[in-house]
Structure formats: C-alpha cells, structure tokens
Amino acid sequence: MSVIVVALAILFAVLALPARPQDATLPQLAHLPLELVAIVAVLLMLPRAGAFSRLARAALTAALVAILLVKLADFGLYASLNRPFNFAYDLPLLHAGWMLMSGSSGLVRASLYVFGAAVFVVLASTAFWWSTGVVGRSSPRRVGPAFAVSLIFAAALALTGRASFGATELLADHVEAARTAQLAIAAVEDEARSDDIAVPASGRLLQALEGRDVFLIFVESYGRSTLDNPLYADTTRDALARLETDAARNGLAVESAFLTAPIVGGQSWLAHASVLSGLWIDTQGRYRAMLASSRKSLMALASQGGWERVAVMPAITMAWPEGAYFGYDRILAKDDLGYRGLPFNWVTMPDQYTLSAFERLALKKPDRAPVFAEIALISSHAPWTPIPELVDWDEVGDGTIFNGQAQSGDTPEVVWRDRDRVRDQFRQSIDYSLRTVASFLDRLKGPPPLIVVLGDHQPATFVSGSETNRDVPIHVISDRDTLNAIEGWAFSEGAVPGDDAPVWRMDAFRKRFVDAFSAPLPQDGQSDEPV
C-alpha cells in the first residue's frame, strides 16, 4: 500500500503544481485535482497487462509530461516577464534563450544546463510511467472501496470549489491562447495599413530637425520602479540630477514623462519595435508580422531628411536580417564596434565604450551628414555583475582598459544566490548607465542635438517590486527652442518626471514625434496645439 501512496503522491504533485509564483501558497496547494481521480479510474478499468494497457499508460505519461512542462514554462515566464507561456509566440524564443544563457554562463555551463533539463524530462517521464503502472496493477478489490470513498470526497470538494480539472483547463487555455495569437498576428497587417502619419504641406517629414543629430537612446531595464521603489529611488534621482546639470552646462534642457512598454523583464526588441513602428508589438508573433508588413518605421520616415540612419546594437552578435525592415543606412553590431576588451558576462561591452565607439565611427567622420541614431545601452542588463565604472573618455581606446573591471566582483552564480544582492547590483547598473549618458553630453559638438533617452521595459517583477506597472521614463534633451515644439506634450520640466507627467503607450510615440517636428519650430512664447 505504501508503494501506491508514493505513486499517487507523484501524480498529485504534477497535477497540483502551481503555474504562477503567486499561487505557490498552502491554500492554493490544498486543492484536489480531479484529473487524479479520473486517471485512477481509467487505470483501474484497464487490463492489468497487454498492448492496450501500455498504450494507455504511454498516453497518460505524455499528457502528464506536457502538463509539467507547460506549468514550468508558465512559472518561469510569470517570474521573469509577468505573463504565461504561449506556444505561438514563445517557441521561437528558445534560440534567444540559449544565446542569453550561453552568453551569461559560458557555452560549457549552458550546455550542462540543457543536458540537466533533458535528464529532468527523462526522469519525470520515468516517474509518471512507473506511477501509472503501480496504480494500474493494483487489485480493484483492495483499492475499490477506498476509491469509492475518494469519489464521494472529491464530489464534496468540487461543490465547495476546492476541487477542479485545473490542469486540463490550463492546457485548454494554452491551446486557445495559441489560436487567438495566430489571429492577432494576422491582424497586424491591417493595423499597419491604417497608418495615420500625415505628410505636411512642405512635403517633408521632420523638417524642424533637419541639419541636426537625433539620438534615440534605449537604457536596458530602466523602468519606473527605479524612481518609485525606495531601493533605487535616491540613487536614480541623483543620477538624473547629474544628467540635468550636465545638460544645462551644454546649453540643453530636459523634459520628462513616462511611456508604457508592451513587455516586462525581457524581449527588449519588442519595445524598440513598438516605438519605431507605431504598432503595439507585445509578442514575438506580432513582431514577425510587423517585419512582413508595409508599415514604415520612424527611421524609414526620416529617409528624406538627409540623415545617416544608424543602429548601434552591442548585443547583436549574429546576423540580423530583421534590421533591414527598420531602414537603417548602417548597423553597428558587436563586431562592428571594435571592442577588444573582455565581456561583462552577458553584456558584450560597457555603455561608455558603446557611446565612445559611436562617437568615433559615426560622429567624427569628416564632412558627415547629420546622424539619426538608435542606440541600445546594455550595461543594465541582467546579470548585473560586474558593474562598470567610468574612465576618462580619451582613454577608452579599444576597450581593453575595461579588462580589470570585467574581471572584478562576484560571478552571477554568487550574486544570484541573494535576492537583495541582485537588487543592489541592479541599482548600481542603472546608476552607471544614466551617469554615462550624462557624461556623454560633454562630448557633443556642433548644432544642439535632439536626444531621447528612454527605458525599454521594467526589470523582472522580483526586482521592480511591481507585478502590474509597465511604465518606463522618457527624457527629451535639446535646446529650449527645439523643446518648444513639444510644449503640447505637457512633459515635466527637468529630468525627473512628476507624478502628473503624461503616460503614453510606446506605440503612440512615433506619430506624436513626427507630428511635432514636421512643422517649423514655434517661437518662444508660442505653443503648438496638442497632438
């Protein structure tokens, strides 16, 4: 009888396993999965041996493995991205997950993790096969009375809401979510065709910015929590005060607000795509549909303004055919930036080197055209160790000056054993990225540029402390005459957005930006109508 108890406990464990971290509580676990009753009933009715019995047990084992994997996938995505797993969207992300893991932990360790996962699946399958065999070989005469009592108990629990077919409903929900996702992907092209960008009377978009540099600088994992969470607020506000001071020293002003990102904790490219395309790109499926659509990105819309359109992407380590959609003239990926220093674990190079290489490769060319650049700063990407430090810009060189920093501090394996340590490392990484941007302002010469600094998404929920908020700060930096064009946006003055600062979805930025800067700049004392 003790063997049967172990077998039933294994089956109960997989069926009762929570799919979300917030459900891992005793009241939630004290819930009878009715699938367990159904499985026992089926196994007791099967012949005790024979091909049909083995086939039925194999089907049950496969179903249990599927339930286990879906629940684990849900649990992991809820913990990191605050959403469930979706077959249509997330299966293509396995390669991206492998790249992140191998970049953070090394090829050998990452391979061991994958091998360990495969062994886990084999062991789970073996345990389920053994459990169904133990129950199936039990004598109905011995188990029958206890099973009859269990049926009555299960019915009572079901009437009180303490029993349900939760695992079956979970799988059904995932199948329906995948079907809905396919329909949503098909709808993206319709959204793309309904573009509401209007060509002004001059026939030129963004004419108010012609002749000057425009930079869109995305800061990895820079979310509203860095301003609201007491763990980070003081440090972040000090860094933003430095940004405001350095801007003023260079004759520039800052206005700030918030954007709502389509994702949390990762998949930064979806945030970039939402800003540039003006479409709400919250899944990989919608991203793929956007790439195949006729929608012009913000970079493509700038094609008539005489800019050299540049993407600075230090995290791109392989071929990036998707880049063609966005309309860049030049893509400066990891290998194009010339970094010869050591990586900071997954982070291929520190932000200061990224901006220094951008200055050297794009801004210091003789007789250059103005530059319209999208720049990704990744030093604030997990695992947040080690933390870089600023050096003299003239000593950055090929990046080998950072080798000592790259070898300092504890490894990710050490840091990530302590949740408080992870959060503190995150705090320091955001501080570094913002101070690097502030320091970079001193390097800019010529006509005042327009610089938009924004986060791509909130960090993982256990770091941000918020399960619902997806807002990120946005700062617009330029001379006062240029900022007059966005007076109708009602952004907060300064680098720290006020509590009453506007909050837009990221997909609203493209149209508002184009509308604001496609007319002559208003003079001091005048304002545009709100867009």
Side-chain angles (χ1 to χ4, degrees):
M1 185 62 70
S2 60
V3 175
I4 296 178
V5 171
V6 172
L8 291 174
I10 291 173
L11 298 177
F12 175 84
V14 65
L15 294 170
L17 180 73
R20 303 186 303 170
Q22 55 266 45
D23 293 337
T25 62
L26 286 178
Q28 290 290 339
L29 295 176
H31 196 96
L32 177 65
L34 292 178
E35 290 89 354
L36 179 61
V37 178
I39 288 172
V40 172
V42 168
L43 291 172
L44 290 178
M45 289 187 293
L46 288 173
R48 300 184 66 182
F52 180 74
S53 176
R54 290 193 296 272
L55 181 61
R57 286 175 56 206
L60 286 173
T61 297
L64 290 167
V65 170
I67 290 170
L68 175 63
L69 294 180
V70 168
K71 286 188 172 185
L72 291 177
D74 273 2
F75 198 96
L77 284 178
Y78 270 114
S80 58
L81 304 180
N82 201 31
R83 65 170 179 82
F85 173 79
N86 187 295
F87 290 101
Y89 296 145
D90 294 323
L91 286 179
L93 294 178
L94 292 176
H95 179 260
W98 165 257
M99 295 302 296
L100 174 60
M101 185 166 55
S102 59
S104 298
S105 304
L107 182 61
V108 173
R109 189 181 294 271
S111 299
L112 289 175
Y113 289 154
V114 173
F115 177 75
V119 170
F120 171 78
V121 172
V122 171
L123 291 177
S125 302
T126 303
F128 300 151
W129 176 260
W130 175 82
S131 298
T132 56
V134 168
V135 175
R137 289 191 298 271
S138 300
S139 169
R141 284 185 302 173
R142 294 180 59 191
V143 180
F147 181 66
V149 173
S150 298
L151 284 177
I152 297 172
F153 181 63
L157 287 177
L159 290 174
T160 60
R162 303 305 303 171
S164 67
F165 287 98
T168 303
E169 293 171 0
L170 180 73
L171 288 182
D173 288 345
H174 277 71
V175 171
E176 176 61 21
R179 188 188 70 82
T180 302
Q182 293 294 342
L183 296 176
I185 291 170
V188 172
E189 179 58 38
D190 291 336
E191 296 176 39
R193 283 195 293 266
S194 61
D195 198 343
D196 54 0
I197 295 292
V199 178
S202 66
R204 298 201 313 277
L205 298 175
L206 303 173
Q207 62 170 328
L209 298 175
E210 289 180 2
R212 67 177 69 196
D213 295 329
V214 180
F215 308 148
L216 299 179
I217 302 178
F218 287 85
V219 178
E220 171 68 38
S221 298
Y222 175 39
R224 186 166 187 161
S225 60
T226 62
L227 292 168
D228 293 347
N229 191 321
L231 295 173
Y232 319 122
D234 289 345
T235 299
T236 303
R237 288 171 186 268
D238 286 346
L240 291 176
R242 172 68 179 272
L243 175 67
E244 193 172 334
T245 298
D246 286 5
R249 186 173 60 248
N250 289 280
L252 305 174
V254 186
E255 295 189 5
S256 304
F258 296 103
L259 299 179
T260 300
I263 33 80
V264 171
Q267 296 181 265
S268 304
W269 59 92
L270 304 185
H272 289 236
S274 295
V275 170
L276 293 177
S277 71
L279 298 169
W280 187 245
I281 308 299
D282 58 346
T283 64
Q284 186 67 13
R286 287 181 65 85
Y287 180 77
R288 294 199 307 272
M290 177 204 72
L291 295 176
S293 77
S294 56
R295 174 64 67 100
K296 289 186 176 181
S297 79
L298 181 58
M299 288 289 178
L301 293 176
S303 62
Q304 298 178 345
W307 285 283
E308 181 186 20
R309 294 157 294 154
V310 180
V312 184
M313 298 291 167
I316 299 295
T317 60
M318 303 176 67
W320 189 41
E322 298 96 327
Y325 162 82
F326 294 100
Y328 309 116
D329 296 309
R330 188 157 56 131
I331 297 174
L332 298 176
K334 170 185 174 288
D335 292 341
D336 303 305
L337 292 168
Y339 184 64
R340 298 293 179 265
L342 297 173
F344 286 60
N345 289 303
W346 181 89
V347 176
T348 56
M349 63 194 71
D351 291 344
Q352 186 178 14
Y353 182 86
T354 298
L355 292 176
S356 178
F358 168 63
E359 178 188 11
R360 170 172 46 85
L361 296 171
L363 303 184
K364 285 191 172 181
K365 295 194 306 182
D367 301 321
R368 69 172 178 86
V371 171
F372 200 123
E374 177 193 1
I375 305 169
L377 299 184
I378 61 172
S379 286
S380 49
H381 193 290
W384 304 309
T385 183
I387 305 296
E389 297 177 2
L390 281 167
V391 301
D392 188 303
W393 286 89
D394 293 330
E395 296 181 2
V396 170
D398 63 0
T400 53
I401 191 174
F402 296 107
N403 283 353
Q405 298 182 24
Q407 295 175 308
S408 66
D410 290 328
T411 64
E413 290 75 16
V414 172
V415 170
W416 282 70
R417 293 172 190 161
D418 183 342
R419 176 173 292 195
D420 291 336
R421 179 79 183 279
V422 172
R423 291 166 172 166
D424 190 63
Q425 292 289 114
F426 168 73
R427 174 188 65 81
Q428 295 179 57
S429 71
I430 292 293
D431 181 56
Y432 165 77
S433 293
L434 293 177
R435 290 183 181 274
T436 300
V437 172
S439 180
F440 182 64
L441 298 180
D442 292 330
R443 310 288 296 176
L444 302 177
K445 310 301 180 186
L450 176 69
I451 305 171
V452 180
V453 180
L454 67 159
D456 54 4
H457 54 71
Q458 288 264 49
T461 53
F462 85 89
V463 177
S464 71
S466 173
E467 293 184 357
T468 58
N469 191 284
R470 295 190 171 196
D471 297 346
V472 301
I474 176 172
H475 315 284
V476 183
I477 307 170
S478 193
D479 62 288
R480 176 48 58 190
D481 287 343
T482 301
L483 292 183
N484 284 341
I486 65 169
E487 188 173 350
W489 294 3
F491 277 23
S492 300
E493 293 285 343
V496 178
D499 293 337
D500 59 346
V503 181
W504 306 339
R505 292 202 329 179
M506 279 187 168
D507 55 334
F509 177 83
R510 171 178 170 271
K511 175 172 171 52
R512 290 176 183 263
F513 184 86
V514 171
D515 285 350
F517 293 109
S518 294
L521 291 176
Q523 300 300 314
D524 288 337
Q526 298 178 344
S527 66
D528 287 344
E529 291 297 319
V531 294

